[in-house]
Amino acid sequence: MKISCVQMDMLLAEPQINFEKAKELIKSAVESGTDVIVLPETWNTGFFPKENLASFCDNNGEKVKAEIGSLAKEYNVNIVAGSVSNVKDGKIYNTAYIFNRNGECVGEYDKSHLFTPMGEHNFYEKGNKICRFTLDGNQCGVIICYDVRFPELTRTMSLKGLDFLFVVSQWPLIRKDHLLTLTKARAIENQMFLACCNSCGTAYDTVFGGNSVIYDPWGSTLAKAGESEDIISADCDTSIIKNIRETINVFADRQAEIYDI
């Protein structure tokens, strides 16, 4: 399965401009030939407008479903549509949507760990469910940015069987080494492919770090971006997963009865 991460530089509080840009970047990724296209976190609004946030949000994913879901069907491609600032039941969530080749929404995830150092919890509601889905017969999951610092979340998903984890993020440049280390660790410890799609550019005084990356289950880097807008792609050979898990069988060797988490 070939994965393409769209490392996007979006404008703060300009959802219409950002939607048009995302659609052009998706088209560019399709032209290079790919199976899955991944967008970053809150690409519709940037991370995140602190005034009148609700006015810039999607409404229960209606716009992303109509515009991005339709592209998935038109281009016959799977799209992990990053996440969008999104109003549901009168509350604002940081919501990821996933579309299969038929344009069907096969996954929806509300970010469960909100980034308190930047006040995200003062504007967004927490999610309380994991998200697993199937793309082209592969078992997949998605988490959002700060979630990657909580290995309990990823391990909970991977215990049910996971071939690919998609991490969509708005991670600052100042802590890019944390992003690369944590995503690589999640890939190795759960013996799965991991595609991290980060944003770039600036919002308020925060510079976002790019460095989107795709790892294989050994933690080897298959593709990596720099700090500017880019599209990276990698072919992921899922036939290697079985051998890796048989060679170092961490799932069979777990001792769940002694873990207290």
Side-chain angles (χ1 to χ4, degrees):
M1 188 160 77
K2 185 174 181 179
I3 297 174
S4 296
C5 292
V6 174
Q7 182 167 289
M8 180 176 169
D9 182 355
M10 71 288 298
L11 295 179
L12 191 69
E14 293 286 356
Q16 189 56 45
I17 294 173
N18 294 333
F19 260 88
E20 293 306 312
K21 185 173 192 177
K23 289 189 283 188
E24 287 300 315
L25 290 169
I26 288 169
K27 182 179 179 181
S28 295
V30 167
E31 289 172 349
S32 67
T34 193
D35 298 301
V36 183
I37 297 171
V38 191
L39 297 176
E41 179 185 14
T42 56
W43 56 267
N44 65 331
T45 61
F47 190 82
F48 53 89
K50 294 179 174 62
E51 295 183 7
N52 304 313
L53 174 59
S55 67
F56 303 114
C57 290
D58 204 342
N59 182 22
N60 200 30
E62 290 178 1
K63 188 174 179 66
V64 73
K65 290 174 183 176
E67 299 194 22
I68 306 302
S70 65
L71 287 184
K73 183 176 182 180
E74 177 183 349
Y75 294 140
N76 187 34
V77 67
N78 303 291
I79 301 179
V80 178
S83 75
V84 292
S85 298
N86 186 41
V87 173
K88 295 191 290 187
D89 299 322
K91 298 179 180 180
I92 300 173
Y93 292 86
N94 186 338
T95 308
Y97 290 99
I98 299 90
F99 303 97
N100 66 14
R101 295 179 185 270
N102 296 319
E104 299 165 334
C105 184
V106 295
E108 178 178 338
Y109 171 67
D110 296 321
K111 186 177 183 181
S112 47
H113 299 94
L114 303 180
F115 193 53
T116 55
M118 291 181 70
E120 187 179 11
H121 62 299
N122 294 322
F123 295 84
Y124 295 82
E125 296 291 323
K126 294 179 182 178
N128 57 11
K129 297 179 181 177
I130 65 172
C131 181
R132 298 175 71 256
F133 50 93
T134 302
L135 295 178
D136 293 352
N138 298 291
Q139 297 301 310
C140 305
V142 65
I143 60 175
I144 301 175
C145 203
Y146 191 40
D147 284 334
V148 78
R149 289 188 180 270
F150 300 86
E152 307 96 322
L153 177 65
T154 305
R155 178 49 61 92
T156 297
M157 299 165 70
S158 63
L159 286 173
K160 299 174 183 287
L162 211 60
D163 303 316
F164 290 86
L165 180 67
F166 298 99
V167 182
V168 302
S169 59
Q170 293 254 17
W171 199 281
L173 178 62
I174 195 171
R175 291 187 294 277
K176 72 172 185 179
D177 289 345
H178 288 197
L179 179 64
L180 295 172
T181 300
L182 291 165
T183 50
K184 186 172 186 176
R186 299 295 88 82
I188 294 170
E189 69 195 7
N190 294 295
Q191 299 175 325
M192 62 191 177
F193 289 91
L194 186 148
C196 175
C197 185
N198 196 29
S199 69
C200 57
T202 302
Y204 298 113
D205 59 353
T206 300
V207 178
F208 293 96
N211 283 272
S212 297
V213 66
I214 303 172
Y215 293 115
D216 75 7
W218 286 120
S220 299
T221 302
L222 302 181
K224 184 177 176 297
E227 296 174 7
S228 58
E229 191 167 85
D230 197 4
I231 299 173
I232 62 168
S233 300
D235 288 304
C236 301
D237 180 7
T238 56
S239 68
I240 70 173
I241 295 177
K242 183 175 183 292
N243 178 259
I244 290 171
R245 292 177 179 171
E246 290 176 349
T247 301
I248 306 176
N249 199 332
V250 295
F251 292 101
D253 294 337
R254 293 177 72 251
Q255 294 199 66
E257 65 275 7
I258 68 171
Y259 307 149
D260 182 15
I261 58 173

